[in-house]
């Protein structure tokens, strides 16, 4: 599926490269992000500059022509959308750094005002599930002005209890993360300075500064400008058990 400037979503057949479906009854502005679930009943989640997140159901041959649900709780343009593999939870990041989450089927928000105020503004997020406990987790990289020491921090949150980060992943010494990829054990982040950082999540009660083995910058990254996309081939087995 491909999001377009013309407010449409195009479904393309990989075998032929041809457009097989166009979804036009969704957004009033450019489609900025898409996410697909891989459960028994696949869902497509779309985010747009119109500030809306919409959910599309898929039949055996095509997506339904109208959205299954509209989640309109975003404060500004939608920057990223993510959905758990089973299609139960959706997360969206807005252009102002605020994150929202919903129960996909009911459309109900999973974060009240107090919980949203506890979550720092983020530059990039990822929604994932623990392979051992199936706990939904939210990984995020904070904006560089979201913490007192003005460092970008990588954090892992338990979606069920958004009171504080459950696992901490270290800090980037400089720059702002533009892309974050994680399996819940290790993480890779690309920055606006063209750098690539890797690290591991720790259950320590405080964030360890860069240089103590938690976050490592890769000097070999051949980028002189901001990195806008990144993917990872190999991931580790499963996230660590969550602290009680």
């Amino acid at each position: 599926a491909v999001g377009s400037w013309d407010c449409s979503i195009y479904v393309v057949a990989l075998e032929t490269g041809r457009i097989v479906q166009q979804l036009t009854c969704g957004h009033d502005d450019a489609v900025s992000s898409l996410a697909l679930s891989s459960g028994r009943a696949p869902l497509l989640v779309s985010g747009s500059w119109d500030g809306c997140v919409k959910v599309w159901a898929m039949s055996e041959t095509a997506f339904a022509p109208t959205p299954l649900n509209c989640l309109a709780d975003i404060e500004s343009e939608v920057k990223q959308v993510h959905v758990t593999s089973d299609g139960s939870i959706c997360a969206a990041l807005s252009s102002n750094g605020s994150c929202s989450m919903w129960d996909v089927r009911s459309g109900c928000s999973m974060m009240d005002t107090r919980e949203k105020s506890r979550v720092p503004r983020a530059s990039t997020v990822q929604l994932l599930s623990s392979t051992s406990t199936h706990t939904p987790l939210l990984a995020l990289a904070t904006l560089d002005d979201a913490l007192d020491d003005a460092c970008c921090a990588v954090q892992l949150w338990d979606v069920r209890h958004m009171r504080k980060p459950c696992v901490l992943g270290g800090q980037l010494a400089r720059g702002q993360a533009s892309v974050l990829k994680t399996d819940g054990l290790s993480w890779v982040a690309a920055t606006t300075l063209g750098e690539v950082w890797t690290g591991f999540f720790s259950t320590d009660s405080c964030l360890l500064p860069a240089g103590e083995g938690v976050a490592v910058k890769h000097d070999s990254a051949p980028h002189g400008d901001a990195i806008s996309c990144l993917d990872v081939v190999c991931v580790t087995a499963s996230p660590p058990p969550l602290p009680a």
Side-chain angles (χ1 to χ4, degrees):
V2 179
S4 174
W5 288 90
D6 65 5
C7 314
S8 298
I9 300 171
Y10 295 91
V11 181
V12 180
L14 295 180
E15 296 85 357
T16 63
R18 295 180 178 179
I19 296 172
V20 296
Q21 187 179 9
Q22 180 181 1
L23 303 175
T24 59
C25 301
H27 295 285
D28 298 324
D29 207 334
V31 178
S32 55
S33 183
L34 296 172
L36 275 166
S37 71
S38 56
R40 293 183 177 180
L43 297 173
L44 173 68
V45 178
S46 60
S48 168
W49 287 356
D50 63 8
C52 290
V53 175
K54 300 199 175 184
V55 181
W56 308 77
M58 185 179 184
S59 66
E60 294 183 359
T61 57
F63 288 101
T66 56
L68 174 69
N69 220 333
C70 178
L71 312 172
D73 190 32
I74 303 296
E75 300 172 1
S76 59
E77 296 91 347
V78 178
K79 182 179 178 181
Q80 296 176 2
V81 292
H82 300 271
V83 64
T84 52
S85 58
D86 62 1
S88 62
I89 299 173
C90 169
L93 179 68
S94 68
S95 59
N96 66 6
S98 64
C99 185
S100 302
M101 286 189 295
W102 302 269
D103 179 282
V104 172
R105 292 296 179 181
S106 68
C108 295
S109 174
M110 297 183 63
M111 298 171 64
D112 61 26
T113 303
R114 289 175 300 175
E115 289 176 327
K116 291 191 74 170
S117 66
R118 296 188 185 107
V119 180
R121 293 193 307 121
S123 60
T124 181
V125 300
Q126 182 184 334
L127 192 62
L128 64 153
S129 296
S130 166
T131 56
S132 57
T133 64
H134 303 291
T135 301
L137 303 171
L138 178 71
L140 62 85
T142 63
L143 284 172
D144 54 9
D145 61 350
L147 297 177
D148 293 337
D149 53 9
C151 288
C152 173
V154 179
Q155 303 176 350
L156 197 64
W157 294 69
D158 184 343
V159 170
R160 303 167 304 174
H161 310 289
M162 298 293 289
R163 293 186 295 270
K164 62 180 181 179
C166 62
V167 186
L168 305 169
Q171 296 175 343
L172 280 63
R174 62 176 193 160
Q176 177 176 303
S178 52
V179 190
L180 175 66
K181 297 289 184 179
T182 179
D183 59 359
L185 278 177
S186 58
W187 55 267
V188 180
T191 75
T192 54
L193 298 177
E195 298 174 345
V196 175
W197 289 71
T198 59
F200 292 89
F201 285 106
S202 168
T203 55
D204 292 342
S205 59
C206 62
L207 285 175
L208 299 177
E212 293 191 20
V214 175
V216 178
K217 182 172 74 72
H218 292 263
D219 295 327
S220 59
H223 301 280
D225 207 342
I227 300 174
S228 59
C229 60
L230 174 146
D231 210 344
V232 180
V233 175
C234 297
V235 294
T236 47
S238 63
L242 299 177

